[in-house]
Amino acid sequence: MKQDQRAPFVRALYRARVSAYAPGEFVEQESFMRAAEILELAQRAGIGPAVSVLDLCCGIGGPGRFITRELGCDYLGVDYSADAIDIARKRAGDLSCRFEVRRIPPIPAGNFDVVILLETLLAFAEKEPLLREISGALGAGGRFACTFEAGLPLTESERGQMPDADTVWLTPIEEMLASLERVGLIVRSQDDLTLSHAAMAKSLTEAFARDADQIAAEIGDQALEELLRAHRLWSDWLRAGRVRKIALVAEKG
């Protein structure tokens, strides 16, 4: 998705996204996570009042605004898309959260209690250098909360099927855990969200298909086709176990 296309996509997909999630589970996330999963991960990471939180690749900030509203924290969300950050700022209203336009890496300077990275670690081909920077941004006892897509790298055939395959870099679980250990982050909790996210991928695919005419009018037929193709692949891969979705919290030792 090009940077200047974020606002049209947000408008075009909003109605379908609302219908795809169970009541109360949609908080303007641009992912397969449900609100309950976002909140549980944030609580496991110890987010609460006066806790400083850095949210990397926050997009339009739905999960960040939700976490700030529910738990209270000193929140900073960063994303490379000026369009997304503009939307996040406008929708934050009176919430005590900040948003900045920034490409990651590098990580913003500072000493944070918690760094979160939800549903976008997949886009980084080289993960360990990023994890090392995240570890460096945390003080002693600081926590890193993330989700990631676990699996062997895509085959050439799979890369040919997946739109924007240059942003799809799967990582085996063992490799991810080893990288975390090497950068000084000790895993304290780990959950498998595969079945939940397979169901959400299927629900979103069906919702986008039902709303296809309205979505295509906003973003065009090609973008709609790629959106549906990607969601069908994720639904298939998650249901078949080709990809597993993992949520974890790691602590700086």
Side-chain angles (χ1 to χ4, degrees):
M1 184 189 308
K2 294 180 181 179
Q3 181 170 329
D4 60 359
Q5 290 181 326
R6 184 63 64 90
F9 265 78
V10 170
R11 287 194 305 268
L13 303 185
Y14 182 83
R15 185 171 67 180
R17 281 173 167 160
V18 169
S19 71
Y21 287 85
E25 294 290 352
F26 180 64
V27 288
E28 293 197 300
Q29 63 270 49
E30 301 169 281
S31 71
F32 301 147
M33 292 192 84
R34 295 178 294 110
E37 293 168 343
I38 295 168
L39 185 60
E40 181 178 359
L41 188 62
Q43 290 172 325
R44 289 190 178 193
I47 295 177
V51 173
S52 59
V53 177
L54 173 63
D55 185 2
L56 302 175
C57 308
C58 67
I60 66 170
R65 289 179 273 122
F66 173 62
I67 290 168
T68 302
R69 183 170 60 250
E70 294 296 316
L71 301 178
C73 56
D74 178 12
Y75 173 92
L76 170 62
V78 298
D79 196 275
Y80 83 98
S81 169
D83 201 8
I85 292 298
D86 183 57
I87 294 169
R89 286 170 175 162
K90 288 177 179 176
R91 297 189 179 179
D94 295 331
L95 287 171
S96 59
C97 47
R98 298 171 291 130
F99 295 94
E100 292 181 3
V101 178
R102 183 185 290 267
R103 184 174 289 276
I104 302 299
I107 303 297
N111 201 352
F112 298 93
D113 297 317
V114 179
V115 174
I116 60 178
L117 180 57
L118 304 180
E119 306 288 83
T120 46
L121 195 51
L122 181 73
F124 294 89
E126 299 295 329
K127 294 177 175 50
E128 190 161 323
L130 176 65
L131 295 175
R132 192 171 301 282
E133 285 205 31
I134 290 170
S135 180
L138 292 168
R143 284 84 63 198
F144 171 51
C146 75
T147 58
F148 72 98
E149 291 76 9
L152 294 174
L154 297 185
T155 65
E156 285 304 310
S157 174
E158 289 170 335
R159 298 193 72 79
Q161 298 174 62
M162 174 61 73
D164 296 325
D166 59 341
T167 64
V168 179
W169 304 100
L170 301 176
T171 305
I173 292 178
E174 297 78 10
E175 184 177 318
M176 179 67 172
L177 297 179
S179 290
L180 288 166
E181 185 176 357
R182 282 193 292 269
V183 303
L185 294 171
I186 303 166
V187 175
R188 297 303 189 194
S189 72
Q190 179 179 317
D191 291 309
D192 193 318
L193 305 180
T194 304
L195 293 180
S196 169
H197 287 208
M200 278 312 312
K202 182 174 184 292
S203 182
L204 283 163
T205 303
E206 292 171 349
F208 295 151
R210 286 194 302 269
D211 225 11
D213 290 343
Q214 181 267 326
I215 294 172
E218 286 269 3
I219 64 174
D221 291 332
Q222 181 179 345
L224 170 63
E225 190 278 329
E226 291 179 352
L227 177 77
L228 289 170
R229 181 151 45 98
H231 278 72
R232 286 174 182 136
L233 283 170
W234 284 121
S235 179
D236 291 344
W237 290 349
L238 288 163
R239 284 188 291 111
R242 168 66 179 90
V243 179
R244 291 172 60 193
K245 181 63 76 65
I246 305 298
L248 62 79
V249 175
E251 182 179 341
K252 186 168 182 179

